[in-house]
Amino acid sequence: MNQDFQSKINPFYDTKASLVFNMIERNGLKIDNELFNEYFEYPAKDYIYTQYNLNTLTTRPSNAFGGINFSALNKKNGERECFRPRNDFFVDMDIRAYHPTLLSRVIGYEFDREDIHQSFAEMYGVDYQKSKELTFKQLYGGVFKQYEHLEFFSKVKKYTEELWEKFNKEGYIECPISKHKFEKSKLENMNPQKLLNYLLQNLETSNNIVILYKILRLLQGKNTKLVLYVYDSFLLDVDENEEDTLLKIKDIFKQHKLKIKVQIGETYNF
């Protein structure tokens, strides 16, 4: 794992984060050797290993090894078929509406429905799919003028402005959970929306590290392994005799008040 922090060591990354990602890396992903060789040039046999790099601008880890970018595997060309469970089946737990959920907590907003995207659909007066498109465009590109009057986006706009003011006045902002500091002197071409996105990506990562730590402790001594983590997705290689463990893992997400989508498959191509 490549981790090269130039500033003073942050205890959160030096202890919990480094332990979590090292444990995932060591678990490895089982492969179908023949199929793997059709898609990838990296010479591997039986298992392929990941490598997480936390030394990114946003601290959101990249994950590549042997020329394979695990964050960008093709979902359409069949290459994900190469990855097979060593046990009985794969389970992928994917956090739903993650960034809107995290941002709502930061700004102190409560949605009136469990399905956040349905709440947005009703706010906009559009269908479900269109609401998702509108929401993500505004989270990552700035609030549209026609939606500034909505309470959620009014609070987002105000928070973004306050964050930017603090960044310029004090020279940094400190992220929740990780206590990582985004320092003005070390970042180029910043703007208010970009700063908010950096904070959200750090919050996503640090919140996930806390969750991963709990899952990995739960899996100690078990055949079921956590073999891949990508942003809001957690891939488990499950022993069918340990299915009760899945309920305990789902309960961890519930404790963090997060909704998940669960997929089950015999390969990583669900």
Side-chain angles (χ1 to χ4, degrees):
M1 182 172 58
N2 181 2
Q3 187 174 351
D4 180 26
F5 290 99
Q6 297 177 358
S7 58
K8 185 179 178 181
I9 293 296
N10 179 313
F12 183 82
Y13 291 102
D14 192 40
T15 54
K16 190 165 287 187
S18 58
L19 175 65
V20 158
F21 290 113
N22 179 259
M23 289 179 73
I24 299 172
E25 289 171 354
R26 285 160 50 194
N27 284 336
L29 273 163
K30 192 175 186 299
I31 59 172
D32 177 310
N33 294 320
E34 185 176 343
L35 196 57
F36 183 85
N37 290 331
E38 289 183 20
Y39 289 98
F40 303 105
E41 296 180 0
Y42 182 76
K45 185 175 175 63
D46 298 333
Y47 286 87
I48 187 78
Y49 293 87
T50 58
Q51 185 175 41
Y52 291 91
N53 172 26
L54 297 184
N55 188 30
T56 64
L57 275 178
T58 65
T59 69
R60 193 188 208 191
S62 60
N63 181 15
F65 188 69
I68 302 171
N69 182 353
F70 292 96
S71 303
L73 289 173
N74 195 313
K75 294 183 178 181
K76 297 180 179 179
N77 72 352
E79 67 184 25
R80 287 162 61 111
E81 293 275 355
C82 301
F83 303 99
R84 307 289 175 90
R86 75 196 75 189
N87 292 303
D88 298 298
F89 53 89
F90 277 145
V91 170
D92 184 70
M93 296 185 179
D94 189 67
I95 301 173
R96 305 180 66 178
Y98 203 4
H99 280 192
T101 299
L102 292 174
L103 187 52
S104 69
R105 294 175 185 177
V106 169
I107 64 174
Y109 179 86
E110 288 191 19
F111 290 97
D112 57 2
R113 288 179 175 269
E114 285 195 2
D115 188 329
I116 288 174
H117 290 301
Q118 186 59 45
S119 285
F120 279 123
E122 293 176 7
M123 287 183 207
Y124 305 135
V126 300
D127 64 50
Y128 192 88
Q129 193 56 43
K130 182 64 176 178
S131 77
K132 290 177 72 173
E133 179 187 329
L134 285 171
T135 299
F136 289 121
K137 280 183 177 179
Q138 293 181 89
L139 288 187
Y140 308 132
V143 177
F144 297 167
K145 196 162 188 64
Q146 65 263 44
Y147 298 124
E148 286 181 351
H149 68 284
L150 297 173
E151 184 184 355
F152 176 82
F153 288 111
S154 174
K155 288 189 171 187
V156 168
K157 190 171 184 294
K158 182 181 178 184
Y159 179 74
T160 304
E161 291 169 352
E162 290 173 349
L163 203 64
W164 183 243
E165 183 181 355
K166 179 179 175 65
F167 183 70
N168 285 291
K169 184 178 180 180
E170 300 183 16
Y172 72 92
I173 59 164
E174 184 175 278
C175 300
I177 303 177
S178 70
K179 304 305 178 185
H180 176 77
K181 291 182 179 179
F182 286 117
E183 300 177 44
K184 187 176 181 181
S185 62
K186 296 180 180 179
L187 298 170
E188 297 180 358
N189 302 317
M190 294 300 290
N191 59 56
Q193 195 61 41
K194 193 173 181 180
L195 184 63
L196 177 68
N197 291 339
Y198 277 28
L199 181 135
L200 278 177
Q201 289 187 45
N202 179 275
L203 185 55
E204 168 201 83
T205 301
S206 53
N207 198 52
N208 285 345
I209 287 169
V210 173
I211 292 169
L212 287 164
Y213 186 81
K214 292 178 181 179
I215 292 173
L216 289 165
R217 286 192 65 182
L218 178 65
L219 292 177
Q220 283 187 331
K222 298 186 184 298
N223 293 326
T224 297
K225 306 292 181 187
L226 198 158
V227 293
L228 187 65
Y229 155 74
V230 181
Y231 305 151
D232 57 3
S233 175
F234 301 69
L235 183 66
L236 295 149
D237 186 329
V238 180
D239 182 331
E240 64 181 7
N241 296 313
E242 297 175 348
E243 288 192 58
D244 61 315
T245 300
L246 292 179
L247 297 176
K248 294 177 181 177
I249 292 173
K250 289 173 74 174
D251 192 53
I252 290 173
F253 289 101
K254 189 175 181 180
Q255 290 168 19
H256 285 261
K257 298 181 180 178
L258 296 169
K259 303 295 180 184
I260 58 172
K261 178 178 73 175
V262 178
Q263 297 182 93
I264 302 172
E266 295 180 355
T267 76
Y268 189 37
N269 191 29
F270 292 101

